[in-house]
Amino acid sequence: MKFGWKRLLAVGTALVLSLSLSAPALAAGETAGIAVQLDGSNVTFIDAVPEVKDQRTFLPFRAVFEAMGATVDWHDTTVTAVRGDTTITMQLGSTAVTVQEGTSTRTVSMDVAPYVKNNRTYVPIRFAAEAFGCNVGWDQAAQTVLILDPEGLIGDATFEIMNAAIAGQEKPQGNQALDGDFRISMNMGADGTYDMTGEVSGVASQTAMDLAMSMDLSALAQEMTAEDLGVTEAQADAVRDYMEDILKDASFAMRMDLDQGSCYFNVPILAEFLAEQGVTENTWYSLDLSGLGLTGLTAAQTVTMEDLLDQMLTGTLDNAAVAQSLASTVRMYACLFQDAAFTRSGDTYTAVYEGAQMGMAMETKTVIRMDGDKLRDISMDMTMSAAGTAVTYDITASTTKVDMTMTMSEPTTGMEMKMDFAMSVSATTKAPETGLPAGAQEVSLEALMAQAMSADL
């Protein structure tokens, strides 16, 4: 076998591992029944455990809020939690919560009230944690309460340097034309070297994008054996020629509108293989982005690093692995881009990091070049490795151009890959198309994935 489907699968798996080694398993020590995950780690309960009452999840007051770094107190029928300049006050049997932030005080109404059981105070966790600015969710499959606490994840990190770079970008006044190309070289050792090329074009605004990509993957076809193709030797040459013709134009299109929370993408080549499932060249897959809460962020005139990190933790939270990944990612960004990470030489700021993040060994070098209060460009070199797989990125971006080189090595298959990508950005009067094309067949990606998971079960 030269370049078989199993090897293609191995390559794909290596890519997934290298680009998303960020979803560790749930932490050990889960509570029997309902578990609580705070910022990616499970909260330990010693003498009182979470429980459901009146269709709401109640947690032992002291254990959860002390885990969040708050000081808790109980007096008569009043329970309080204090963290920084925020004080939360609840009364047993009352559905009112008082939240004092500095000199400002507000009252939040709950639909259930705190209570005492076995000398332990239980509070409705969603209302209590949200009062501290947390995002609270529920993973039904894992029976786990999910809490993401921006203040706890970011800690004392400040981002004045990154904020100055963001503010110093030349803000596009209208729509921007995108024009780029890329080359991917794959070295499979004894199985040969394969080059793939492609082009990217499109239009983007502050909140929308219309992108088209074409790829030439035909070099793979002639390396496929009869076994790979599932045909006899007598049929192989004809099938290889057929596959080469198909793979010569492996195109992809995407239309996205953050204000509307919509994303559509089209992969015409799938029609060649999934026609029996009703897939055509005009099948577009839809993805609902409305739960990500991006509208306010994209509408903001000035975005800060704090805004970006906080926004990552906003939206629907219903999967424990995703919550862990988000917590790990925010911690990593706070570590890499905080002011304490940078040193200054004139108008150039450099941050170097070597350590471990999200279960990976990581080395990074970030350089921000300013012209006074204007951003000239920003570059980042990053190497990540885990389980022998190593990925290196070298990215430089300005307001008019993006250059990126990515290399990857995967020891299990002996595969090495290099991708070079360059894209220019320029003003255009054309607006991005964000809706479905006329006559398109829409298929919900979420429904498709749910169906696939159900079939697997």
Side-chain angles (χ1 to χ4, degrees):
M1 181 183 295
K2 290 187 178 180
F3 194 94
W5 293 115
K6 291 182 180 179
R7 188 171 288 271
L8 277 173
L9 180 61
V11 171
T13 302
L15 278 168
V16 170
L17 286 172
S18 63
L19 296 176
S20 59
L21 294 166
S22 57
L26 279 175
E30 293 184 0
T31 302
I34 298 173
V36 179
Q37 183 193 105
L38 170 62
D39 294 338
S41 299
N42 277 25
V43 178
T44 300
F45 298 93
I46 299 175
D47 55 1
V49 297
E51 61 182 37
V52 175
K53 183 179 179 181
D54 299 329
Q55 298 184 328
R56 291 291 182 268
T57 302
F58 286 78
L59 301 184
F61 180 71
R62 183 176 297 276
V64 173
F65 284 101
E66 286 185 345
M68 294 174 61
T71 300
V72 301
D73 191 23
W74 185 89
H75 182 69
D76 292 334
T77 61
T78 302
V79 292
T80 60
V82 181
R83 188 175 74 171
D85 65 351
T86 301
T87 299
I88 298 173
T89 304
M90 295 181 177
Q91 297 285 338
L92 297 181
S94 172
T95 58
V97 181
T98 301
V99 182
Q100 182 177 344
E101 297 172 299
T103 59
S104 174
T105 301
R106 58 189 171 91
T107 300
V108 179
S109 179
M110 305 182 294
D111 55 8
V112 287
Y115 61 89
V116 172
K117 179 180 178 181
N118 298 328
N119 293 320
R120 292 292 179 266
T121 303
Y122 283 77
V123 297
I125 186 57
R126 179 175 296 277
F127 295 97
E130 286 179 350
F132 270 134
C134 299
N135 184 9
V136 183
W138 170 252
D139 185 329
Q140 177 65 30
Q143 291 289 289
T144 300
V145 177
L146 308 175
I147 306 172
L148 291 177
D149 178 11
E151 183 174 326
L153 288 167
I154 297 173
D156 296 329
T158 59
F159 303 96
E160 292 183 9
I161 295 172
M162 284 298 298
N163 289 341
I166 294 171
Q169 295 181 85
E170 183 180 346
K171 302 295 189 297
Q173 299 302 309
N175 298 316
Q176 303 292 303
L178 312 176
D179 186 18
D181 57 70
F182 61 89
R183 175 179 292 275
I184 302 174
S185 298
M186 298 178 63
N187 183 352
M188 304 303 297
D191 290 334
T193 300
Y194 313 96
D195 290 335
M196 293 161 279
T197 60
E199 296 180 350
V200 179
S201 62
V203 180
S205 68
Q206 290 291 307
T207 61
M209 180 178 291
D210 178 7
L211 194 67
M213 180 171 65
S214 62
M215 296 178 287
D216 182 355
L217 308 179
S218 58
L220 299 176
Q222 293 304 319
E223 300 301 326
M224 295 179 184
T225 66
E227 181 184 354
D228 299 336
L229 297 168
V231 299
T232 65
E233 290 292 347
Q235 298 169 320
D237 284 342
V239 177
R240 273 190 287 266
D241 291 342
Y242 168 72
M243 291 296 298
E244 182 175 14
D245 187 55
I246 292 176
L247 294 173
K248 194 171 187 64
D249 182 16
S251 61
F252 170 88
M254 181 182 71
R255 296 180 174 186
M256 180 173 62
D257 187 334
L258 296 181
D259 282 341
Q260 298 299 319
S262 64
C263 181
Y264 305 101
F265 59 93
N266 170 247
V267 189
I269 195 174
L270 293 179
E272 295 287 344
F273 308 102
L274 301 176
E276 293 183 359
Q277 283 74 44
V279 176
T280 71
E281 290 189 357
N282 207 24
T283 296
W284 285 70
Y285 297 90
S286 61
L287 184 62
D288 184 6
L289 305 178
S290 59
L292 299 180
L294 296 174
T295 302
L297 184 62
T298 58
Q301 293 298 311
T302 302
V303 177
T304 66
M305 193 68 187
E306 291 87 345
D307 292 332
L308 296 172
L309 295 178
D310 187 66
Q311 202 65 35
M312 292 179 66
L313 304 173
T314 302
T316 303
L317 195 61
D318 58 10
N319 184 284
V322 171
Q324 284 187 316
S325 179
L326 288 172
S328 296
T329 301
V330 169
R331 281 196 186 97
M332 179 183 72
Y333 287 163
C335 175
L336 299 183
F337 302 128
Q338 62 180 310
D339 292 330
F342 286 91
T343 58
R344 179 179 180 179
S345 177
D347 278 355
T348 299
Y349 299 82
T350 304
V352 177
Y353 175 84
E354 182 175 349
Q357 292 288 334
M358 298 160 60
M360 301 173 287
M362 180 179 293
E363 298 178 15
T364 69
K365 180 180 181 180
T366 305
V367 180
I368 298 173
R369 302 173 184 87
M370 304 287 290
D371 285 326
D373 60 354
K374 301 297 182 184
L375 176 66
R376 187 193 314 168
D377 61 47
I378 182 169
S379 64
M380 186 172 191
D381 299 335
M382 175 185 292
T383 299
M384 301 180 295
S385 59
T389 298
V391 183
T392 299
Y393 296 91
D394 183 355
I395 305 170
T396 300
S398 68
T399 56
T400 59
K401 192 176 182 181
V402 177
D403 292 300
M404 181 181 77
T405 297
M406 183 189 79
T407 60
M408 186 185 76
S409 60
E410 203 287 312
T412 303
T413 61
M415 186 271 293
E416 295 180 351
M417 185 188 75
K418 180 180 180 182
M419 182 180 74
D420 292 303
F421 174 78
M423 184 172 69
S424 62
V425 182
S426 59
T428 180
T429 57
K430 184 178 179 180
E433 296 283 350
T434 58
L436 285 170
Q441 173 192 10
E442 181 181 354
V443 176
S444 167
L445 183 62
E446 292 99 329
L448 195 64
M449 293 176 65
Q451 182 180 358
M453 292 179 65
S454 176
D456 289 341
L457 295 174

